[in-house]
Every structure is written in structure tokens, then in C-alpha cells.
Amino acid sequence: MENRSEATAERILFQLKTVGPQGTAALADDLGLTTEAVRQQVQKLAEAGLIAGEAERGSGAGRPRQCWALTQAGHARFPDTHAQLAVELIDSMRTLFGDAGVDRLIDARRDDSRRHYIDHLGSARTTGERVRRLAELREREGYMARAERDGRDWLLIEDHCPICAAARACQGFCRSELMLFQDVLGPEVQVTREQHLLTGGRRCTYRITRR
């Protein structure tokens, strides 16, 4: 029974990570569980500091409905690959070689990724197919990525950042990724970042628009 309870809690955390804030009833519906089962788990998760209640936006007149959202501790349950080591290496690089040395490291990483991504996207003929293949690559790398159509545009959505600690220590990683996406998706599209984890967003979202 305890294992089932823990599994339910993990499913709730994953749902909030990938979908965003949701109410108890919506969680129960999406996960195929009873409202009471979800209510018990969200209470435990809230007491553990992993989620917190917030008023649902645009809920209309009357008392606003409560939604549940991940706290910083809740987001931390999803792995940040070798976080401490990455931060220490960046600090050491900056001490030894200065900011220019760190920038060269980031550029080399982007060049390696560009070659790998272009090789994978090479046979794709449409923008949509290129975005979908890019999302597949990012998903394999731990970004919880997916591609979605939004009118005439495409969205590359990343619900998680496995190098978040490194990106906080050096903003160059985020600038480099935006340049990388533009490079591999081609000059016929414009890539813009609409949501950013490091500036308060709950995910990173990139809009891909044909020029």
C-alpha cells in the first residue's frame, strides 16, 4: 500500500511538472484516480513542501479555485545532471582562464551539439518535422521536451532543464542554446524564447516562426 501511495505522489509531481498548476479534480481526472485519493496525496506533498496551493488564474467571479504547483523543492526532485560538479568546473574555468575561457568552452559545446543535431535533422524536409526531431533529441538529453503546433507556428517546449545549476552559474549556456536552435532549424525560421526557467518561468518555451 505504501508503494502505491508513493507511486501516486510521484505521478502527481510529474503531472504538475509537465502540465503546470492543476486543481485536485483536474489531477484526479487526468491521472484516472479518485478525487479523495489525489486530495490525500496533495496534502502530504504540501506538508513536505514539494507543492503549494495558488489561486487559479481566470477562474471568474466568486471564490477563486485553488491549484497546486511545484515549489522549488518540488522542481528539485527532477534531476539536475551532476549539478555541483558542473558549477565547480565552471568556477574553476573562470578562475583559470577568465570569462573568455568559459565562453570558448560553451562555444565548443555548441559546435559539438550542432554537428550532432544537424546529422539527426538532415533528412527532415518540413519545419514541423525538424522541430519534432529536435524535440526528440532534447527529450533523450533529459529536457522533458516536446513539439507542439500553435497556429502557423511551432513550439519547442522543455519542462525540465538537466543543466539548470550550470546555467544559473553561467548564463552563456542559455544564450548558446538559443543560437543552437536557430542554427539547426535554419534561416527560413525565427526562433524566440517565450518562457525561461531562469527568469521565473516554469518551463522553457521556444516559438519557431517562418520568416
Side-chain angles (χ1 to χ4, degrees):
M1 180 65 73
E2 185 63 28
N3 288 340
R4 180 179 300 176
S5 177
E6 292 177 359
T8 299
E10 291 299 323
R11 290 180 65 196
I12 291 171
L13 291 175
F14 185 82
Q15 181 76 1
L16 295 178
K17 178 69 172 174
T18 55
V19 175
Q22 285 190 285
T24 301
L27 281 167
D29 186 55
D30 287 350
L31 297 176
L33 300 169
T34 66
T35 302
E36 183 57 31
V38 171
R39 184 177 291 112
Q40 292 176 6
Q41 292 305 315
V42 297
Q43 186 61 42
K44 292 178 182 178
L45 292 169
E47 291 173 356
L50 298 176
I51 65 174
E54 59 180 40
E56 183 179 20
R57 296 179 182 178
S59 55
R63 184 177 179 180
R65 290 176 292 182
Q66 186 180 56
C67 284
W68 298 100
L70 293 182
T71 62
Q72 186 173 352
H75 282 290
R77 290 289 293 271
F78 296 85
D80 188 348
T81 308
H82 306 303
Q84 188 58 37
L85 175 61
V87 172
E88 290 173 356
L89 287 173
I90 291 169
D91 288 341
S92 295
M93 281 286 296
R94 187 173 282 122
T95 299
L96 291 170
F97 306 110
D99 288 336
V102 176
D103 288 342
R104 288 181 62 187
L105 175 67
I106 293 172
D107 288 344
R109 176 179 180 269
R110 185 178 70 243
D111 289 343
D112 286 343
S113 295
R114 183 192 295 114
R115 286 190 290 269
H116 174 56
Y117 287 9
I118 288 177
D119 182 63
H120 189 77
L121 271 63
S123 62
R125 293 290 178 258
T126 67
T127 297
E129 182 61 25
R130 294 176 72 82
V131 176
R132 284 192 291 268
R133 291 193 185 188
L134 178 58
E136 290 172 0
L137 286 168
R138 301 290 285 182
E139 171 69 18
R140 294 174 196 169
E141 293 174 1
Y143 288 87
M144 297 173 68
R146 63 187 185 278
E148 291 186 1
R149 192 70 186 263
D150 184 30
R152 299 180 64 182
D153 298 343
W154 282 90
L155 298 177
L156 173 64
I157 300 170
E158 298 182 341
D159 289 309
H160 181 58
C161 178
I163 63 163
C164 191
R168 289 185 187 281
C170 181
Q171 293 287 316
F173 282 105
C174 294
R175 291 193 298 271
S176 178
E177 285 189 337
L178 184 58
M179 294 171 60
L180 173 64
F181 296 158
Q182 182 67 71
D183 286 348
V184 301
L185 291 175
E188 68 274 11
V189 300
Q190 177 68 41
V191 182
T192 55
R193 183 188 285 117
E194 292 193 335
Q195 294 186 68
H196 192 199
L197 276 167
L198 298 192
T199 57
R202 63 180 181 82
R203 57 164 63 113
C204 287
T205 302
Y206 302 85
R207 180 173 294 277
I208 296 92
T209 305
R210 291 193 63 84
R211 294 183 189 275

PDB file of all heavy atoms in Angstrom, residues 82-115:
ATOM      1  N   HIS A  82      24.599  16.065 -12.515  1.00  0.00           N
ATOM      2  CA  HIS A  82      25.922  16.413 -11.995  1.00  0.00           C
ATOM      3  C   HIS A  82      26.011  17.899 -11.651  1.00  0.00           C
ATOM      4  O   HIS A  82      26.988  18.581 -11.987  1.00  0.00           O
ATOM      5  CB  HIS A  82      27.015  16.030 -12.993  1.00  0.00           C
ATOM      6  CG  HIS A  82      26.963  14.602 -13.430  1.00  0.00           C
ATOM      7  ND1 HIS A  82      27.011  13.545 -12.545  1.00  0.00           N
ATOM      8  CD2 HIS A  82      26.850  14.049 -14.667  1.00  0.00           C
ATOM      9  CE1 HIS A  82      26.945  12.403 -13.215  1.00  0.00           C
ATOM     10  NE2 HIS A  82      26.831  12.680 -14.497  1.00  0.00           N
ATOM     11  N   ALA A  83      24.989  18.418 -10.960  1.00  0.00           N
ATOM     12  CA  ALA A  83      24.864  19.854 -10.740  1.00  0.00           C
ATOM     13  C   ALA A  83      26.075  20.460 -10.043  1.00  0.00           C
ATOM     14  O   ALA A  83      26.678  21.422 -10.526  1.00  0.00           O
ATOM     15  CB  ALA A  83      23.590  20.138  -9.938  1.00  0.00           C
ATOM     16  N   GLN A  84      26.440  19.915  -8.887  1.00  0.00           N
ATOM     17  CA  GLN A  84      27.521  20.515  -8.116  1.00  0.00           C
ATOM     18  C   GLN A  84      28.851  20.450  -8.868  1.00  0.00           C
ATOM     19  O   GLN A  84      29.620  21.417  -8.876  1.00  0.00           O
ATOM     20  CB  GLN A  84      27.656  19.810  -6.757  1.00  0.00           C
ATOM     21  CG  GLN A  84      28.637  20.490  -5.800  1.00  0.00           C
ATOM     22  CD  GLN A  84      28.273  21.927  -5.510  1.00  0.00           C
ATOM     23  OE1 GLN A  84      27.107  22.281  -5.399  1.00  0.00           O
ATOM     24  NE2 GLN A  84      29.280  22.785  -5.429  1.00  0.00           N
ATOM     25  N   LEU A  85      29.105  19.327  -9.502  1.00  0.00           N
ATOM     26  CA  LEU A  85      30.342  19.188 -10.263  1.00  0.00           C
ATOM     27  C   LEU A  85      30.398  20.213 -11.388  1.00  0.00           C
ATOM     28  O   LEU A  85      31.441  20.840 -11.635  1.00  0.00           O
ATOM     29  CB  LEU A  85      30.458  17.776 -10.838  1.00  0.00           C
ATOM     30  CG  LEU A  85      31.658  17.512 -11.763  1.00  0.00           C
ATOM     31  CD1 LEU A  85      32.964  17.738 -11.018  1.00  0.00           C
ATOM     32  CD2 LEU A  85      31.591  16.088 -12.319  1.00  0.00           C
ATOM     33  N   ALA A  86      29.292  20.411 -12.080  1.00  0.00           N
ATOM     34  CA  ALA A  86      29.261  21.359 -13.191  1.00  0.00           C
ATOM     35  C   ALA A  86      29.565  22.771 -12.710  1.00  0.00           C
ATOM     36  O   ALA A  86      30.347  23.501 -13.333  1.00  0.00           O
ATOM     37  CB  ALA A  86      27.898  21.317 -13.878  1.00  0.00           C
ATOM     38  N   VAL A  87      28.955  23.159 -11.592  1.00  0.00           N
ATOM     39  CA  VAL A  87      29.189  24.506 -11.061  1.00  0.00           C
ATOM     40  C   VAL A  87      30.646  24.675 -10.648  1.00  0.00           C
ATOM     41  O   VAL A  87      31.276  25.709 -10.916  1.00  0.00           O
ATOM     42  CB  VAL A  87      28.253  24.781  -9.863  1.00  0.00           C
ATOM     43  CG1 VAL A  87      28.623  26.097  -9.181  1.00  0.00           C
ATOM     44  CG2 VAL A  87      26.801  24.826 -10.329  1.00  0.00           C
ATOM     45  N   GLU A  88      31.210  23.663 -10.013  1.00  0.00           N
ATOM     46  CA  GLU A  88      32.605  23.743  -9.582  1.00  0.00           C
ATOM     47  C   GLU A  88      33.551  23.851 -10.784  1.00  0.00           C
ATOM     48  O   GLU A  88      34.533  24.607 -10.749  1.00  0.00           O
ATOM     49  CB  GLU A  88      32.955  22.521  -8.732  1.00  0.00           C
ATOM     50  CG  GLU A  88      32.273  22.516  -7.374  1.00  0.00           C
ATOM     51  CD  GLU A  88      32.503  21.222  -6.608  1.00  0.00           C
ATOM     52  OE1 GLU A  88      33.141  20.311  -7.181  1.00  0.00           O
ATOM     53  OE2 GLU A  88      32.029  21.130  -5.468  1.00  0.00           O
ATOM     54  N   LEU A  89      33.259  23.083 -11.840  1.00  0.00           N
ATOM     55  CA  LEU A  89      34.099  23.149 -13.032  1.00  0.00           C
ATOM     56  C   LEU A  89      34.027  24.524 -13.698  1.00  0.00           C
ATOM     57  O   LEU A  89      35.042  25.053 -14.177  1.00  0.00           O
ATOM     58  CB  LEU A  89      33.685  22.059 -14.024  1.00  0.00           C
ATOM     59  CG  LEU A  89      34.072  20.624 -13.649  1.00  0.00           C
ATOM     60  CD1 LEU A  89      33.447  19.634 -14.616  1.00  0.00           C
ATOM     61  CD2 LEU A  89      35.585  20.463 -13.625  1.00  0.00           C
ATOM     62  N   ILE A  90      32.841  25.100 -13.746  1.00  0.00           N
ATOM     63  CA  ILE A  90      32.689  26.431 -14.328  1.00  0.00           C
ATOM     64  C   ILE A  90      33.469  27.461 -13.512  1.00  0.00           C
ATOM     65  O   ILE A  90      34.178  28.318 -14.062  1.00  0.00           O
ATOM     66  CB  ILE A  90      31.201  26.820 -14.412  1.00  0.00           C
ATOM     67  CG1 ILE A  90      30.491  25.961 -15.459  1.00  0.00           C
ATOM     68  CG2 ILE A  90      31.040  28.300 -14.747  1.00  0.00           C
ATOM     69  CD1 ILE A  90      28.994  26.075 -15.425  1.00  0.00           C
ATOM     70  N   ASP A  91      33.358  27.371 -12.192  1.00  0.00           N
ATOM     71  CA  ASP A  91      34.104  28.296 -11.329  1.00  0.00           C
ATOM     72  C   ASP A  91      35.607  28.147 -11.539  1.00  0.00           C
ATOM     73  O   ASP A  91      36.343  29.146 -11.589  1.00  0.00           O
ATOM     74  CB  ASP A  91      33.754  28.050  -9.860  1.00  0.00           C
ATOM     75  CG  ASP A  91      32.357  28.528  -9.500  1.00  0.00           C
ATOM     76  OD1 ASP A  91      31.807  29.350 -10.264  1.00  0.00           O
ATOM     77  OD2 ASP A  91      31.828  28.093  -8.464  1.00  0.00           O
ATOM     78  N   SER A  92      36.071  26.905 -11.669  1.00  0.00           N
ATOM     79  CA  SER A  92      37.498  26.665 -11.887  1.00  0.00           C
ATOM     80  C   SER A  92      37.942  27.209 -13.245  1.00  0.00           C
ATOM     81  O   SER A  92      39.018  27.820 -13.367  1.00  0.00           O
ATOM     82  CB  SER A  92      37.800  25.160 -11.809  1.00  0.00           C
ATOM     83  OG  SER A  92      37.548  24.658 -10.516  1.00  0.00           O
ATOM     84  N   MET A  93      37.120  26.988 -14.273  1.00  0.00           N
ATOM     85  CA  MET A  93      37.442  27.514 -15.595  1.00  0.00           C
ATOM     86  C   MET A  93      37.529  29.038 -15.566  1.00  0.00           C
ATOM     87  O   MET A  93      38.446  29.639 -16.153  1.00  0.00           O
ATOM     88  CB  MET A  93      36.373  27.085 -16.610  1.00  0.00           C
ATOM     89  CG  MET A  93      36.502  25.674 -17.118  1.00  0.00           C
ATOM     90  SD  MET A  93      37.859  25.498 -18.297  1.00  0.00           S
ATOM     91  CE  MET A  93      37.292  26.550 -19.628  1.00  0.00           C
ATOM     92  N   ARG A  94      36.595  29.663 -14.877  1.00  0.00           N
ATOM     93  CA  ARG A  94      36.583  31.126 -14.818  1.00  0.00           C
ATOM     94  C   ARG A  94      37.817  31.648 -14.071  1.00  0.00           C
ATOM     95  O   ARG A  94      38.396  32.665 -14.450  1.00  0.00           O
ATOM     96  CB  ARG A  94      35.292  31.591 -14.149  1.00  0.00           C
ATOM     97  CG  ARG A  94      35.081  33.090 -14.189  1.00  0.00           C
ATOM     98  CD  ARG A  94      33.717  33.481 -13.663  1.00  0.00           C
ATOM     99  NE  ARG A  94      32.674  33.245 -14.645  1.00  0.00           N
ATOM    100  CZ  ARG A  94      31.630  32.461 -14.444  1.00  0.00           C
ATOM    101  NH1 ARG A  94      31.497  31.783 -13.322  1.00  0.00           N
ATOM    102  NH2 ARG A  94      30.714  32.318 -15.384  1.00  0.00           N
ATOM    103  N   THR A  95      38.204  30.940 -13.020  1.00  0.00           N
ATOM    104  CA  THR A  95      39.386  31.349 -12.259  1.00  0.00           C
ATOM    105  C   THR A  95      40.654  31.203 -13.086  1.00  0.00           C
ATOM    106  O   THR A  95      41.531  32.074 -13.090  1.00  0.00           O
ATOM    107  CB  THR A  95      39.512  30.508 -10.976  1.00  0.00           C
ATOM    108  OG1 THR A  95      38.350  30.727 -10.154  1.00  0.00           O
ATOM    109  CG2 THR A  95      40.757  30.894 -10.186  1.00  0.00           C
ATOM    110  N   LEU A  96      40.770  30.090 -13.805  1.00  0.00           N
ATOM    111  CA  LEU A  96      41.990  29.802 -14.559  1.00  0.00           C
ATOM    112  C   LEU A  96      42.086  30.583 -15.866  1.00  0.00           C
ATOM    113  O   LEU A  96      43.172  31.063 -16.239  1.00  0.00           O
ATOM    114  CB  LEU A  96      42.069  28.301 -14.861  1.00  0.00           C
ATOM    115  CG  LEU A  96      42.318  27.381 -13.662  1.00  0.00           C
ATOM    116  CD1 LEU A  96      42.116  25.932 -14.070  1.00  0.00           C
ATOM    117  CD2 LEU A  96      43.725  27.606 -13.111  1.00  0.00           C
ATOM    118  N   PHE A  97      40.954  30.712 -16.577  1.00  0.00           N
ATOM    119  CA  PHE A  97      41.005  31.251 -17.931  1.00  0.00           C
ATOM    120  C   PHE A  97      40.132  32.482 -18.144  1.00  0.00           C
ATOM    121  O   PHE A  97      40.098  33.009 -19.257  1.00  0.00           O
ATOM    122  CB  PHE A  97      40.603  30.162 -18.936  1.00  0.00           C
ATOM    123  CG  PHE A  97      41.411  28.896 -18.815  1.00  0.00           C
ATOM    124  CD1 PHE A  97      40.832  27.725 -18.335  1.00  0.00           C
ATOM    125  CD2 PHE A  97      42.751  28.870 -19.171  1.00  0.00           C
ATOM    126  CE1 PHE A  97      41.577  26.561 -18.209  1.00  0.00           C
ATOM    127  CE2 PHE A  97      43.504  27.721 -19.063  1.00  0.00           C
ATOM    128  CZ  PHE A  97      42.926  26.552 -18.576  1.00  0.00           C
ATOM    129  N   GLY A  98      39.432  32.912 -17.111  1.00  0.00           N
ATOM    130  CA  GLY A  98      38.581  34.082 -17.238  1.00  0.00           C
ATOM    131  C   GLY A  98      37.285  33.788 -17.972  1.00  0.00           C
ATOM    132  O   GLY A  98      37.039  32.665 -18.417  1.00  0.00           O
ATOM    133  N   ASP A  99      36.463  34.828 -18.117  1.00  0.00           N
ATOM    134  CA  ASP A  99      35.179  34.657 -18.801  1.00  0.00           C
ATOM    135  C   ASP A  99      35.370  34.235 -20.256  1.00  0.00           C
ATOM    136  O   ASP A  99      34.546  33.493 -20.807  1.00  0.00           O
ATOM    137  CB  ASP A  99      34.388  35.963 -18.745  1.00  0.00           C
ATOM    138  CG  ASP A  99      33.840  36.250 -17.351  1.00  0.00           C
ATOM    139  OD1 ASP A  99      33.659  35.295 -16.577  1.00  0.00           O
ATOM    140  OD2 ASP A  99      33.608  37.432 -17.047  1.00  0.00           O
ATOM    141  N   ALA A 100      36.453  34.704 -20.878  1.00  0.00           N
ATOM    142  CA  ALA A 100      36.700  34.338 -22.277  1.00  0.00           C
ATOM    143  C   ALA A 100      36.914  32.839 -22.416  1.00  0.00           C
ATOM    144  O   ALA A 100      36.472  32.228 -23.390  1.00  0.00           O
ATOM    145  CB  ALA A 100      37.919  35.099 -22.812  1.00  0.00           C
ATOM    146  N   GLY A 101      37.586  32.231 -21.439  1.00  0.00           N
ATOM    147  CA  GLY A 101      37.799  30.788 -21.475  1.00  0.00           C
ATOM    148  C   GLY A 101      36.503  30.022 -21.317  1.00  0.00           C
ATOM    149  O   GLY A 101      36.288  28.999 -21.998  1.00  0.00           O
ATOM    150  N   VAL A 102      35.625  30.504 -20.445  1.00  0.00           N
ATOM    151  CA  VAL A 102      34.315  29.863 -20.275  1.00  0.00           C
ATOM    152  C   VAL A 102      33.506  29.982 -21.564  1.00  0.00           C
ATOM    153  O   VAL A 102      32.847  29.028 -21.984  1.00  0.00           O
ATOM    154  CB  VAL A 102      33.553  30.498 -19.091  1.00  0.00           C
ATOM    155  CG1 VAL A 102      32.151  29.901 -18.979  1.00  0.00           C
ATOM    156  CG2 VAL A 102      34.313  30.279 -17.786  1.00  0.00           C
ATOM    157  N   ASP A 103      33.569  31.145 -22.204  1.00  0.00           N
ATOM    158  CA  ASP A 103      32.842  31.346 -23.460  1.00  0.00           C
ATOM    159  C   ASP A 103      33.350  30.383 -24.541  1.00  0.00           C
ATOM    160  O   ASP A 103      32.560  29.850 -25.331  1.00  0.00           O
ATOM    161  CB  ASP A 103      32.995  32.782 -23.946  1.00  0.00           C
ATOM    162  CG  ASP A 103      32.216  33.773 -23.089  1.00  0.00           C
ATOM    163  OD1 ASP A 103      31.307  33.329 -22.363  1.00  0.00           O
ATOM    164  OD2 ASP A 103      32.524  34.971 -23.143  1.00  0.00           O
ATOM    165  N   ARG A 104      34.646  30.155 -24.583  1.00  0.00           N
ATOM    166  CA  ARG A 104      35.205  29.223 -25.566  1.00  0.00           C
ATOM    167  C   ARG A 104      34.714  27.802 -25.301  1.00  0.00           C
ATOM    168  O   ARG A 104      34.423  27.051 -26.242  1.00  0.00           O
ATOM    169  CB  ARG A 104      36.732  29.267 -25.514  1.00  0.00           C
ATOM    170  CG  ARG A 104      37.341  30.534 -26.095  1.00  0.00           C
ATOM    171  CD  ARG A 104      38.857  30.504 -26.022  1.00  0.00           C
ATOM    172  NE  ARG A 104      39.399  29.393 -26.811  1.00  0.00           N
ATOM    173  CZ  ARG A 104      40.682  29.063 -26.796  1.00  0.00           C
ATOM    174  NH1 ARG A 104      41.535  29.713 -26.012  1.00  0.00           N
ATOM    175  NH2 ARG A 104      41.116  28.064 -27.561  1.00  0.00           N
ATOM    176  N   LEU A 105      34.613  27.441 -24.038  1.00  0.00           N
ATOM    177  CA  LEU A 105      34.095  26.118 -23.676  1.00  0.00           C
ATOM    178  C   LEU A 105      32.647  25.963 -24.141  1.00  0.00           C
ATOM    179  O   LEU A 105      32.268  24.932 -24.722  1.00  0.00           O
ATOM    180  CB  LEU A 105      34.192  25.918 -22.170  1.00  0.00           C
ATOM    181  CG  LEU A 105      33.579  24.630 -21.604  1.00  0.00           C
ATOM    182  CD1 LEU A 105      34.351  23.413 -22.079  1.00  0.00           C
ATOM    183  CD2 LEU A 105      33.558  24.680 -20.074  1.00  0.00           C
ATOM    184  N   ILE A 106      31.844  26.985 -23.908  1.00  0.00           N
ATOM    185  CA  ILE A 106      30.439  26.943 -24.305  1.00  0.00           C
ATOM    186  C   ILE A 106      30.311  26.881 -25.823  1.00  0.00           C
ATOM    187  O   ILE A 106      29.486  26.141 -26.370  1.00  0.00           O
ATOM    188  CB  ILE A 106      29.690  28.165 -23.733  1.00  0.00           C
ATOM    189  CG1 ILE A 106      29.618  28.069 -22.206  1.00  0.00           C
ATOM    190  CG2 ILE A 106      28.280  28.267 -24.319  1.00  0.00           C
ATOM    191  CD1 ILE A 106      29.066  29.311 -21.539  1.00  0.00           C
ATOM    192  N   ASP A 107      31.147  27.634 -26.524  1.00  0.00           N
ATOM    193  CA  ASP A 107      31.122  27.612 -27.988  1.00  0.00           C
ATOM    194  C   ASP A 107      31.479  26.225 -28.525  1.00  0.00           C
ATOM    195  O   ASP A 107      30.871  25.743 -29.497  1.00  0.00           O
ATOM    196  CB  ASP A 107      32.104  28.644 -28.549  1.00  0.00           C
ATOM    197  CG  ASP A 107      31.618  30.074 -28.356  1.00  0.00           C
ATOM    198  OD1 ASP A 107      30.425  30.260 -28.070  1.00  0.00           O
ATOM    199  OD2 ASP A 107      32.450  30.997 -28.476  1.00  0.00           O
ATOM    200  N   ALA A 108      32.475  25.585 -27.892  1.00  0.00           N
ATOM    201  CA  ALA A 108      32.878  24.240 -28.333  1.00  0.00           C
ATOM    202  C   ALA A 108      31.747  23.250 -28.104  1.00  0.00           C
ATOM    203  O   ALA A 108      31.485  22.379 -28.946  1.00  0.00           O
ATOM    204  CB  ALA A 108      34.138  23.802 -27.592  1.00  0.00           C
ATOM    205  N   ARG A 109      31.065  23.394 -26.979  1.00  0.00           N
ATOM    206  CA  ARG A 109      29.924  22.514 -26.689  1.00  0.00           C
ATOM    207  C   ARG A 109      28.823  22.728 -27.715  1.00  0.00           C
ATOM    208  O   ARG A 109      28.218  21.764 -28.198  1.00  0.00           O
ATOM    209  CB  ARG A 109      29.395  22.801 -25.278  1.00  0.00           C
ATOM    210  CG  ARG A 109      28.139  22.014 -24.895  1.00  0.00           C
ATOM    211  CD  ARG A 109      27.708  22.342 -23.473  1.00  0.00           C
ATOM    212  NE  ARG A 109      26.512  21.609 -23.084  1.00  0.00           N
ATOM    213  CZ  ARG A 109      25.272  22.068 -23.253  1.00  0.00           C
ATOM    214  NH1 ARG A 109      25.067  23.256 -23.816  1.00  0.00           N
ATOM    215  NH2 ARG A 109      24.239  21.343 -22.868  1.00  0.00           N
ATOM    216  N   ARG A 110      28.562  23.988 -28.085  1.00  0.00           N
ATOM    217  CA  ARG A 110      27.527  24.271 -29.076  1.00  0.00           C
ATOM    218  C   ARG A 110      27.905  23.693 -30.441  1.00  0.00           C
ATOM    219  O   ARG A 110      27.053  23.146 -31.141  1.00  0.00           O
ATOM    220  CB  ARG A 110      27.302  25.778 -29.194  1.00  0.00           C
ATOM    221  CG  ARG A 110      26.139  26.131 -30.129  1.00  0.00           C
ATOM    222  CD  ARG A 110      25.879  27.617 -30.213  1.00  0.00           C
ATOM    223  NE  ARG A 110      26.929  28.326 -30.915  1.00  0.00           N
ATOM    224  CZ  ARG A 110      27.709  29.250 -30.382  1.00  0.00           C
ATOM    225  NH1 ARG A 110      27.591  29.566 -29.103  1.00  0.00           N
ATOM    226  NH2 ARG A 110      28.629  29.865 -31.106  1.00  0.00           N
ATOM    227  N   ASP A 111      29.177  23.784 -30.803  1.00  0.00           N
ATOM    228  CA  ASP A 111      29.618  23.238 -32.085  1.00  0.00           C
ATOM    229  C   ASP A 111      29.423  21.723 -32.137  1.00  0.00           C
ATOM    230  O   ASP A 111      28.986  21.179 -33.159  1.00  0.00           O
ATOM    231  CB  ASP A 111      31.091  23.576 -32.321  1.00  0.00           C
ATOM    232  CG  ASP A 111      31.306  25.055 -32.616  1.00  0.00           C
ATOM    233  OD1 ASP A 111      30.326  25.735 -32.956  1.00  0.00           O
ATOM    234  OD2 ASP A 111      32.455  25.518 -32.481  1.00  0.00           O
ATOM    235  N   ASP A 112      29.750  21.037 -31.041  1.00  0.00           N
ATOM    236  CA  ASP A 112      29.551  19.587 -30.988  1.00  0.00           C
ATOM    237  C   ASP A 112      28.073  19.235 -31.114  1.00  0.00           C
ATOM    238  O   ASP A 112      27.696  18.318 -31.857  1.00  0.00           O
ATOM    239  CB  ASP A 112      30.114  19.021 -29.677  1.00  0.00           C
ATOM    240  CG  ASP A 112      31.632  18.986 -29.660  1.00  0.00           C
ATOM    241  OD1 ASP A 112      32.245  19.078 -30.741  1.00  0.00           O
ATOM    242  OD2 ASP A 112      32.204  18.863 -28.557  1.00  0.00           O
ATOM    243  N   SER A 113      27.241  19.976 -30.381  1.00  0.00           N
ATOM    244  CA  SER A 113      25.804  19.720 -30.432  1.00  0.00           C
ATOM    245  C   SER A 113      25.251  20.014 -31.815  1.00  0.00           C
ATOM    246  O   SER A 113      24.392  19.283 -32.327  1.00  0.00           O
ATOM    247  CB  SER A 113      25.077  20.572 -29.382  1.00  0.00           C
ATOM    248  OG  SER A 113      25.440  20.199 -28.075  1.00  0.00           O
ATOM    249  N   ARG A 114      25.736  21.093 -32.447  1.00  0.00           N
ATOM    250  CA  ARG A 114      25.249  21.451 -33.777  1.00  0.00           C
ATOM    251  C   ARG A 114      25.497  20.318 -34.766  1.00  0.00           C
ATOM    252  O   ARG A 114      24.602  19.953 -35.537  1.00  0.00           O
ATOM    253  CB  ARG A 114      25.919  22.734 -34.269  1.00  0.00           C
ATOM    254  CG  ARG A 114      25.389  23.186 -35.636  1.00  0.00           C
ATOM    255  CD  ARG A 114      26.252  24.278 -36.263  1.00  0.00           C
ATOM    256  NE  ARG A 114      26.222  25.497 -35.475  1.00  0.00           N
ATOM    257  CZ  ARG A 114      27.262  26.013 -34.840  1.00  0.00           C
ATOM    258  NH1 ARG A 114      28.435  25.374 -34.877  1.00  0.00           N
ATOM    259  NH2 ARG A 114      27.163  27.129 -34.176  1.00  0.00           N
ATOM    260  N   ARG A 115      26.700  19.770 -34.753  1.00  0.00           N
ATOM    261  CA  ARG A 115      27.006  18.673 -35.670  1.00  0.00           C
ATOM    262  C   ARG A 115      26.099  17.480 -35.425  1.00  0.00           C
ATOM    263  O   ARG A 115      25.585  16.865 -36.371  1.00  0.00           O
ATOM    264  CB  ARG A 115      28.480  18.273 -35.523  1.00  0.00           C
ATOM    265  CG  ARG A 115      29.455  19.266 -36.136  1.00  0.00           C
ATOM    266  CD  ARG A 115      30.858  18.699 -36.185  1.00  0.00           C
ATOM    267  NE  ARG A 115      31.433  18.594 -34.842  1.00  0.00           N
ATOM    268  CZ  ARG A 115      32.142  19.565 -34.276  1.00  0.00           C
ATOM    269  NH1 ARG A 115      32.360  20.712 -34.913  1.00  0.00           N
ATOM    270  NH2 ARG A 115      32.659  19.397 -33.070  1.00  0.00           N
TER     271      ARG A 115
END
